[in-house]
Amino acid sequence: MSKPFDTRIPLLLLCVAALPAQAQAPSGLSLEWDLRARHEQVDDDAFANAARADTLRLRAGLRFAFDNGWNGLLEGEGVAGNNHYNSGANGRTDLPAVIDPRGAELNQAWLGWKGARGNGSLGRQRLLFDNQRWIGNVGWRQNEQTFDALALEFAPGKDIVLRYAFLDRVHRVNGDDAIDPLARERKLSTHLLHGAYKRGAQQWSGYAWLHKDRDAATASASTYGLRWTGSMPMAKTKFGWTLEAAQQRDHANNPLHFSHTYWLLEPALTVRDITARAGWEHLGGNGRHALQTPLATLHAFNGWADKFLVTPVNGLEDRYLGVGGAFGRERAGSRQAWQLTWHDYRADHGSSRYGREWDASWSVPLAKGLSGMLKYADYRADRYARDTRKLWLQIEYKGSHRIE
């Protein structure tokens, strides 16, 4: 996992030193925590034995607020677990991978300022853009992904939000002890630009991800895209949609030359407490190289079996049907929720069928801040990877307490 004290932390200290004298005393201080226990079982036909990972993650931090809009967060994270899985750091290559390595890290350490129309933050922080298809924190894994970054946000009007971030380094979920050095963290020189306009139940956004990876030049790429989401009532139902298109090309120090398209079409229909959706996601490939999303929350896309964390060189067509909803009485502010999704995976280049997958989950609120989850994924291979089944049992407790 990331080293507790890093040579880049002085950037944060310089920012603290720049605080005006009247803002030195915190006007608010709170303790935040997120305790999560999980059992993950992976039966992959490529291995003789199954992985059985039992892990416990504690994330705790102090959030403080100064006068005049200054604020900050100092947060640590630790993961404990058994050794019956390949964490990417323990050398258990005889078992399927579950990328939840044991260890401790400084997860976030940032200082920010918030005003009436804008805000900014500098330091190690969590960054989320849109649905996290391109930029996210990989929150499903026990060790989340964070960035050493400068992030700015400005709202020139009540319906418009402009965002910019410069990324100096990404701390990946594999942790600082990963056997593969490139899986630990990457030095970056990445610019993220995003603009969104919201009117009623609809939102239009445009983005430019200018990603330069200083450790792995072939991962550098520029991506430009547009996204439109919305919903409208129809009699006793509600119709929703997501439309997105993007173009990705080689960028900066990348020695390769490529141009790939991305699109997403996802209509949805809600009747009472149940929402059904159909989707078609396209990640282009040419047989030598394919569109990649290395900074995304990848587990949330293309199936929970995680067979497509790296897009195959022939690209990926993910056509899926899903249904889900809420039921039961409200407890602690929420209700039980369920989800069922079917995926059909094919190549963009050529006629290969990769496989099919069923995903299902059930989550239940137990008390204030306490929840449980049962989750399952079943991937049936055709011409890509091997049959894989994954089962998760999880309980999570999170909350906050104001100290002063």
Side-chain angles (χ1 to χ4, degrees):
M1 301 185 124
S2 301
K3 294 181 176 66
F5 297 98
D6 193 281
T7 56
R8 295 174 301 282
I9 298 303
L11 281 175
L12 179 63
L13 300 180
L14 286 174
C15 196
V16 173
L19 279 169
Q22 66 270 25
Q24 291 295 322
S27 60
L29 184 65
S30 60
L31 173 66
E32 301 177 349
W33 64 87
D34 188 333
L35 180 66
R36 185 164 71 186
R38 177 188 291 161
H39 170 78
E40 180 169 345
Q41 180 171 316
V42 182
D43 292 286
D44 187 327
D45 284 358
F47 295 85
N49 298 305
R52 292 176 173 83
D54 296 308
T55 57
L56 178 65
R57 191 277 312 282
L58 174 62
R59 184 183 300 149
L62 288 173
R63 186 179 297 272
F64 54 90
F66 292 106
D67 294 329
N68 302 327
W70 291 95
N71 58 91
L73 176 66
L74 183 64
E75 180 181 75
E77 181 179 78
V79 180
N82 61 13
N83 201 40
H84 303 306
Y85 63 99
N86 179 11
S87 71
N90 60 3
R92 292 301 306 270
T93 55
D94 58 312
L95 295 172
V98 177
I99 306 301
D100 288 327
R102 296 179 293 184
E105 70 166 1
L106 179 65
N107 192 51
Q108 294 192 82
W110 56 263
L111 181 69
W113 180 84
K114 185 174 182 179
R117 289 197 173 186
N119 61 77
S121 55
L122 174 66
R124 187 169 301 172
Q125 57 192 294
R126 176 186 302 124
L127 289 176
L128 312 175
F129 282 82
D130 290 328
N131 63 340
Q132 303 182 50
R133 191 30 167 142
W134 302 96
I135 313 294
N137 69 324
V138 199
W140 174 250
R141 299 264 53 105
Q142 298 286 48
N143 175 29
E144 74 171 335
Q145 176 171 275
T146 56
F147 303 89
D148 292 346
L150 168 67
L152 303 173
E153 183 175 309
F154 176 60
K158 65 177 183 178
D159 300 322
I160 301 175
V161 177
L162 305 176
R163 297 179 65 186
Y164 167 79
F166 173 77
L167 311 183
D168 176 69
R169 192 166 299 215
V170 56
H171 300 272
R172 309 182 73 190
V173 300
N174 307 69
D176 196 56
D177 295 325
I179 294 173
D180 179 3
L182 292 179
R184 302 169 188 171
E185 59 182 41
R186 299 278 186 91
K187 296 177 184 178
L188 309 178
S189 184
T190 296
H191 300 271
L192 308 177
L193 299 97
H194 184 276
Y197 171 70
K198 186 173 183 180
R199 186 175 181 85
Q202 300 187 50
Q203 177 170 299
W204 296 263
S205 59
Y207 52 81
W209 318 129
L210 307 179
H211 176 53
K212 180 180 179 180
D213 190 320
R214 293 183 286 152
D215 285 331
T218 55
S220 298
S222 63
T223 307
Y224 299 86
L226 297 171
R227 178 179 173 86
W228 177 30
T229 62
S231 64
M232 64 174 61
M234 297 176 60
K236 296 182 179 181
T237 66
K238 182 173 70 174
F239 176 71
W241 63 87
T242 299
L243 303 175
E244 185 172 354
Q247 190 76 25
Q248 185 176 91
R249 294 185 174 90
D250 54 280
H251 176 68
N253 56 338
N254 196 327
L256 306 177
H257 298 286
F258 57 84
S259 179
H260 304 302
T261 57
Y262 170 89
W263 70 69
L264 171 67
L265 307 174
E266 188 186 88
L269 186 66
T270 300
V271 180
R272 294 186 179 179
D273 295 327
I274 298 176
T275 298
R277 65 185 73 248
W280 181 11
E281 188 178 36
H282 168 95
L283 291 82
N286 58 20
R288 300 179 304 277
H289 186 274
L291 181 142
Q292 305 293 338
T293 61
L295 304 181
T297 297
L298 292 167
H299 178 76
F301 303 91
N302 312 131
W304 296 336
D306 290 337
K307 292 301 180 182
F308 300 98
L309 300 181
V310 176
T311 312
V313 294
N314 286 320
L316 175 64
E317 298 272 352
D318 180 7
R319 302 169 189 180
Y320 56 91
L321 298 172
V323 62
F327 67 97
R329 294 183 179 180
E330 185 174 301
R331 177 184 296 176
S334 60
R335 301 164 66 195
Q336 298 182 60
W338 63 278
Q339 186 175 344
L340 180 66
T341 307
W342 174 81
H343 295 266
D344 177 68
Y345 305 116
R346 307 184 186 192
D348 167 45
H349 177 78
S351 57
S352 293
R353 289 176 174 264
Y354 293 145
R356 297 159 302 283
E357 181 173 338
W358 283 98
D359 295 327
S361 71
W362 170 51
S363 59
V364 54
L366 302 173
K368 183 179 180 181
L370 182 66
S371 63
M373 175 182 285
L374 172 65
K375 185 170 168 178
Y376 183 72
D378 187 351
Y379 174 78
R380 299 302 174 95
D382 191 347
R383 298 183 182 179
Y384 188 81
R386 300 288 294 275
D387 290 358
T388 301
R389 295 152 299 283
K390 293 189 177 185
L391 173 69
W392 297 269
L393 298 172
Q394 175 180 294
I395 188 166
E396 185 172 16
Y397 177 55
K398 55 185 176 180
S400 64
H401 176 72
R402 185 176 176 84
I403 299 175
E404 61 177 49

